Amino acid sequence: MMDSRSLNRATLARQLLLDRSDLPVRDAVAHVCGLQAQEPQEPFVGLWSRVHGFVPGTLDELLEQRRVVRVHLMRRTVHLLTAEDVLAWRARFDTMLRQRVLGVYRGELEGVDLEELKVAGLKVMSDGEARSMRELVEALGLEPGSRPLGELLIAALVPVVQAPPRGLWRAKGGVRNVALSAWLSREIDPVTRDEALIRRYLAAFGPAAVADIRAWSGLAGLPKAVAAMRDELVTFRDERGRELVDLPDAPRPDPETPAPVRFLPAFDNAILGYDDRSRIIDHEHRGLSVAGERVVLVDGRVAATWSVDAGTVTVSPLRRFSKADRVAVCEQGQELALFLSDQESDRVRVDA
């Protein structure tokens, strides 16, 4: 059996949160299977918390060099992924992406010929030009206000990337979409093996239940693949009795390993990457993980939320801090303030 603390330390190690990594930024993005990027600036904080000496300009260069991209993928949300991963995985997510959009707009999209719309959208986007969702809808001769059709095209039917300056450090700008294959000058791999995807997930999130893998990805049909891999996996039980699977040689640190304070961005996958998030966040605070609150890990668990305004990082505890915890939170908060302000401010305030 693996108790919650053992799972916590395994998660921190896999997510590069137990010790900051010396991996190159692109390799760190690949290792954690991408970073949630619905809010364009959040991946910078996620990488700062994970990569030793992270410099925002490094991620900017990767985006401009087209080595990492912003795309709709896991759970139909925007993620920052390496070019290789999105090309390898995109085909497997196609059905899920369609179903998620149809689940939101089923009434408005009733009777729409999806394949006909897809072909028309691909034809327009094949020129490699950057377009907003509205411009794509208008280019197809559809009503400008057809948001459901626009979301169906951009988030599901036509594989696209969100082109820079969207997602660059401190850059402002609307979403401009470019066809994925045109942007990367490569075609999407037609087949994704579930076994390969599961191995990548476990390396970044394990040990985990099949329900956790589905919660991270949004994909159906995974139990069959896990069953086919059983001979190469090790199994555990959590405190609820759920079966967890893992890679044999993946790190599972001693549960008493000290865990440093870490500031996480909104919607961080270290929390959202599981169905059962009790390894890292208490049940009564689970809603914070889907409400876009930025959180602070103390001893590996969500213990506070944080915000920043005018160069001051403000921490709002969810429980009483010990004196040592408060000192550690302040020290890491000062480092974050310096990072976010380009070394101009180290102000941090911890609320009562």
Side-chain angles (χ1 to χ4, degrees):
M1 189 189 80
M2 292 193 73
D3 61 20
S4 180
R5 190 175 177 88
S6 298
L7 291 173
N8 175 269
R9 293 309 192 256
T11 294
L12 297 180
R14 312 290 174 90
Q15 283 289 306
L16 311 181
L17 294 168
L18 199 56
D19 293 298
R20 280 188 171 93
S21 173
D22 289 322
L23 285 172
V25 171
R26 181 223 163 265
D27 294 348
V29 172
H31 173 78
V32 297
C33 298
L35 293 113
Q36 178 90 16
Q38 200 82 0
E39 298 295 333
Q41 297 299 298
E42 299 304 300
F44 291 93
V45 176
L47 288 167
W48 174 81
S49 290
R50 289 174 164 90
V51 176
H52 181 73
F54 171 69
V55 176
T58 305
L59 180 55
D60 283 355
E61 289 178 5
L62 290 170
L63 283 161
E64 291 171 331
Q65 293 167 359
R66 310 186 184 193
R67 297 180 64 200
V68 300
V69 292
R70 293 170 47 82
V71 296
H72 286 91
L73 205 67
M74 284 77 81
R75 307 182 300 277
R76 196 175 76 87
T77 55
V78 178
H79 277 71
L80 183 78
L81 292 155
T82 67
E84 291 77 10
D85 281 346
V86 73
L87 289 169
W89 296 351
R90 179 56 175 78
R92 178 62 175 87
F93 286 78
D94 188 70
T95 299
M96 180 274 293
L97 293 171
R98 294 185 184 205
Q99 290 173 343
R100 295 243 170 165
V101 178
L102 291 173
V104 176
Y105 297 113
R106 189 166 301 279
E108 295 92 328
L109 296 173
E110 186 176 358
V112 173
D113 187 320
L114 299 185
E115 290 308 309
E116 182 178 314
L117 185 62
K118 176 181 178 179
V119 169
L122 286 170
K123 183 177 181 180
V124 170
M125 297 297 289
S126 64
D127 60 7
E129 292 295 319
R131 292 179 174 85
S132 67
M133 184 171 69
R134 180 185 178 91
E135 288 168 345
L136 174 57
V137 167
E138 291 177 347
L140 290 170
L142 304 172
E143 290 294 327
S146 301
R147 183 172 183 84
L149 288 172
E151 285 200 27
L152 182 61
L153 284 159
I154 293 301
L157 298 183
V158 181
V160 297
V161 306
Q162 294 185 356
R166 185 74 170 179
L168 298 181
W169 180 240
R170 294 184 173 173
K172 294 183 179 180
V175 177
R176 306 287 294 176
N177 304 286
V178 181
L180 175 62
S181 294
W183 184 254
L184 298 178
S185 300
R186 285 175 55 190
E187 294 300 319
I188 295 169
D189 297 341
V191 177
T192 303
R193 289 187 59 81
D194 281 353
E195 292 85 349
L197 190 62
I198 290 166
R199 289 187 197 98
R200 290 288 303 281
Y201 172 84
L202 292 176
F205 294 90
V210 175
D212 295 321
I213 308 173
R214 176 165 185 172
W216 165 75
S217 64
L219 298 174
L222 297 173
K224 182 178 179 181
V226 172
M229 301 170 62
R230 195 160 290 275
D231 288 347
E232 64 177 272
L233 302 175
V234 293
T235 60
F236 303 92
R237 293 281 174 183
D238 66 10
E239 293 173 318
R240 294 172 49 195
R242 299 190 314 159
E243 182 182 71
L244 311 177
V245 296
D246 201 9
L247 303 174
D249 299 326
R252 289 179 287 275
D254 186 300
E256 298 309 312
T257 303
V261 168
R262 290 289 184 256
F263 282 71
L264 298 186
F267 307 112
D268 195 277
N269 275 343
I271 302 173
L272 293 187
Y274 301 95
D275 175 58
D276 182 356
R277 300 170 188 167
S278 61
R279 67 180 68 194
I280 198 168
I281 187 169
D282 294 341
H283 181 72
E284 58 265 35
H285 301 142
R286 180 185 171 102
L288 298 174
S289 62
V290 294
E293 293 282 359
R294 297 155 161 172
V295 299
V296 184
L297 303 183
V298 177
D299 192 26
R301 300 190 62 79
V302 172
T305 61
W306 68 274
S307 61
V308 61
D309 183 55
T312 299
V313 170
T314 300
V315 177
S316 301
L318 299 170
R319 60 168 176 79
R320 185 180 297 276
F321 287 167
S322 69
K323 183 177 179 180
D325 288 343
R326 188 181 183 89
V327 169
V329 167
C330 286
E331 289 177 349
Q332 195 65 195
Q334 287 178 320
E335 293 297 320
L336 177 61
L338 287 166
F339 170 75
L340 294 174
S341 68
D342 289 337
Q343 308 301 308
E344 292 182 0
S345 168
D346 66 352
R347 294 189 300 274
V348 60
R349 184 178 76 241
V350 179
D351 291 338

